Amino acid sequence: MDITIVGAGYVGLATGVAFAELGNNVRLIDIDREKIEKIRKGIAPIYEEGLQEMLQRNMDRIKAATTYNEIDGIVFICVGTPSLPDGSINLNYVKEAVENAARNMEEGIIVIKSTVFPGTTEKILLPLVKRHSNKISIAMNPEFLREGKALHDFMHPDRIVIGARDEKTAEMLKELYKPINAPIIVTNPTVAELIKYASNAFLATKISFANEIGNLAKLLGIDVYEVMKGVAMDHRISPHFLNAGIGFGGSCFPKDLKALRAGAASAGYNMRLIDAVLKINDEQPLRIIKILEKYMEPRGKTIAILGLAFKANTDDVRESRAIPIIKELLKMGANIKAYDPMAMENMKKIFPEIEYYSSVEEAIENADACLILTDWKEFEEINFDAMKRKIVIEGRRILKNKEGIIYEGVCW
Ligand code: UGA
């Protein structure tokens, strides 16, 4: 099939390259000229497991452009939906992308992949499309891709959700996803929109729940990981997303939960559970500093920070839990020595004033304490001998060898 993807970010690029791998002709459109130039040369502009190889393998089926001329077939809208000050999302990019696509199409399907509040596709985007043509249909097809594992998740999803307004559109999209072995749910766009928000909200709730139990466990001198092992064996609960730590970050969970809460508030409902999930998440990273303060007054001390990305195996620092921690430590007058295998360039844009090192060894040298904030594999085994004081506090559970150090976990 002929597919156009508007927005070549993490979601759009992974989706486009994966559709090309399945044998479709894909055109990627993005306003970022530099990004488009890279894609044209077969260079992936972001890090995503397997993306570089898959892009190169499918270059004969992938085109990239900054303009929309004469598109047809299926158009996926994958542009960003940044937060507004009240937590609701800024729909301008989505609206603009839908209008531009509709203006350049005779017929076809516009599929919304960007996460939008229930009702957006039907009430806001459909009228924009109808202004240009009655031969273009609209659908909502949320993504459930984890950053870093996006290509794997695309090829092996738990389910595919198609929110369509008519059978013909639903059939076309089902056909497109046919090579993928997963159950397909066909519903309307509004239900599809809420499935996406409810899924992310539930996963985030699991994490804040694990952190709530973790905070209590720490107080009682109990290891929350042992507790959750026992809890997770109940098949109704499942073992995933129960890892306590410094909370969730990234471009999706915090933004989506705030958007859900803001949208619900304008509809007249106060989402108290979601509010609590966000509150726990805001407080969680600062707990690691409270533990540090048991050992020292951070002012004038040198603190090594290992892990800057919002999770391991990505260079993405959006809503990373390292940000509030570094901010607070700087406020307290500490000196920071930071290291991350991939995310240092991105963090330098937020904190140009801290020191960055090219290895764990250099970052921990002469440090008064070390905070581990991301579960990168290379943090499993660290020799802390070069530290001034061997105080290590973990925000994620990754360290294997704790011999000869003073060790604490944020919830264990
Ligand atoms: C998340 C969802 O997992 C995807 O299904 C969804 O498509 C995506 O958001 C989205 O809406 O676009 P992602 O943000 O890439 O994907 O990252 P996750 O792997 O879900 O991790 C989110 C955060 O939660 C990370 O900071 C991670 O460290 C934290 N986390 C995760 C925990 O603190 N504990 C856990 O048990 C699991």
Side-chain angles (χ1 to χ4, degrees):
M1 291 190 189
D2 286 323
I3 293 173
T4 299
I5 308 272
V6 184
Y10 282 96
V11 172
L13 196 56
T15 302
V17 171
F19 274 134
E21 174 90 353
L22 295 179
N24 302 287
N25 297 314
V26 174
R27 174 142 46 135
L28 290 154
I29 299 178
D30 200 292
I31 48 167
D32 186 335
R33 199 167 289 278
E34 214 178 302
K35 201 179 259 182
I36 292 301
E37 281 309 320
K38 278 193 176 163
I39 298 169
R40 279 185 180 153
K41 288 185 196 139
I43 304 167
I46 49 155
Y47 175 77
E48 189 61 55
E49 205 174 274
L51 183 65
Q52 180 60 55
E53 297 78 3
M54 201 182 274
L55 173 66
Q56 239 150 30
R57 232 187 356 259
N58 292 288
M59 279 308 282
D60 54 338
R61 278 193 289 268
I62 297 174
K63 288 202 175 85
T66 51
T67 53
Y68 284 77
N69 331 323
E70 290 164 31
I71 42 181
D72 57 5
I74 304 177
V75 181
F76 283 92
I77 307 294
C78 304
V79 295
T81 49
S83 290
L84 289 168
D86 70 345
S88 64
I89 54 170
N90 179 350
L91 267 185
N92 288 347
Y93 300 115
V94 175
K95 285 202 261 185
E96 204 178 309
V98 167
E99 281 236 86
N100 280 331
R103 204 177 286 141
N104 288 282
M105 278 169 92
E106 286 283 313
E107 54 187 335
I109 310 175
I110 295 180
V111 188
I112 312 301
K113 252 203 190 294
S114 305
T115 302
V116 292
F117 194 74
T120 304
T121 301
E122 289 266 357
K123 290 194 199 125
I124 301 173
L125 305 175
L126 178 64
L128 294 182
V129 173
K130 289 283 166 240
R131 236 194 269 162
H132 294 282
S133 163
N134 268 327
K135 289 194 204 147
I136 305 169
S137 65
I138 196 161
M140 206 282 152
N141 169 220
E143 55 86 15
F144 301 100
L145 312 176
R146 288 166 299 168
E147 236 176 88
K149 297 272 177 219
L151 294 173
H152 173 272
D153 289 353
F154 184 96
M155 296 296 181
H156 310 278
D158 289 334
R159 78 308 206 181
I160 292 163
V161 176
I162 295 173
R165 302 181 66 254
D166 58 85
E167 216 162 291
K168 196 173 150 216
T169 304
E171 283 309 315
M172 285 275 282
L173 292 175
K174 271 168 84 175
E175 188 62 29
L176 179 64
Y177 281 111
K178 211 173 183 176
I180 293 174
N181 180 21
I184 295 184
I185 295 176
V186 177
T187 179
N188 65 49
T190 313
V191 171
E193 287 162 336
L194 191 52
I195 289 176
K196 166 68 187 192
Y197 272 113
S199 302
N200 273 5
F202 188 75
L203 291 170
T205 303
K206 283 187 88 171
I207 299 170
S208 276
F209 175 80
N211 287 334
E212 176 109 299
I213 299 292
N215 295 340
L216 172 69
K218 174 93 185 163
L219 202 65
L220 301 177
I222 297 168
D223 180 350
V224 67
Y225 276 71
E226 252 187 77
V227 175
M228 285 310 176
K229 205 167 147 193
V231 172
M233 280 178 179
D234 186 324
H235 75 278
R236 295 167 301 177
I237 296 174
S238 107
H240 306 288
F241 275 69
L242 288 177
N243 294 325
I246 45 173
F248 54 81
S251 64
C252 302
F253 286 171
K255 175 170 76 84
D256 290 354
L257 267 71
K258 284 177 196 157
L260 184 61
R261 180 174 64 179
S266 7
Y269 184 68
N270 174 10
M271 296 196 93
R272 288 153 300 170
L273 179 59
I274 299 305
D275 208 37
V277 168
L278 284 165
K279 204 173 259 169
I280 291 169
N281 200 55
D282 281 345
E283 289 167 8
Q284 211 60 21
L286 301 176
R287 288 182 168 267
I288 205 163
I289 296 179
K290 283 269 162 292
I291 298 172
L292 177 69
E293 283 182 292
K294 289 199 303 197
Y295 297 94
M296 66 190 71
E297 218 253 271
R299 175 165 300 280
K301 300 289 190 314
T302 299
I303 313 296
I305 304 272
L306 303 184
L308 302 170
F310 85 92
K311 64 176 183 181
N313 304 313
T314 175
D315 62 356
D316 195 343
V317 297
R318 285 178 288 177
E319 296 277 344
S320 165
R321 303 292 80 195
I323 297 171
I325 292 170
I326 294 174
K327 214 178 257 175
E328 189 62 20
L329 285 172
L330 288 176
K331 213 163 80 191
M332 293 172 125
N335 306 312
I336 310 273
K337 297 180 81 184
Y339 169 73
D340 186 286
M342 269 186 204
M344 292 201 283
E345 286 312 311
N346 286 335
M347 204 50 127
K348 277 180 194 167
K349 292 176 199 148
I350 302 174
F351 295 111
E353 69 270 48
I354 66 173
E355 289 175 45
Y356 295 87
Y357 291 84
S358 51
S359 68
V360 170
E361 291 71 27
E362 288 169 83
I364 63 171
E365 197 179 336
N366 280 326
D368 293 285
C370 170
L371 308 184
I372 303 178
L373 305 185
T374 315
D375 50 359
W376 285 94
K377 184 121 181 66
E378 66 171 274
F379 299 160
E380 270 181 15
E381 306 274 355
I382 297 175
N383 180 345
F384 292 102
D385 284 349
M387 287 182 73
K388 197 191 277 173
R389 287 178 72 191
K390 288 182 228 162
I391 298 172
V392 180
I393 310 169
E394 266 196 309
R396 312 270 181 210
R397 178 103 133 198
I398 182 74
L399 201 58
K400 280 193 175 149
N401 184 9
K402 302 176 187 91
E403 247 170 74
I405 59 172
I406 299 170
Y407 173 86
E408 282 204 50
V410 71
C411 301
W412 56 94

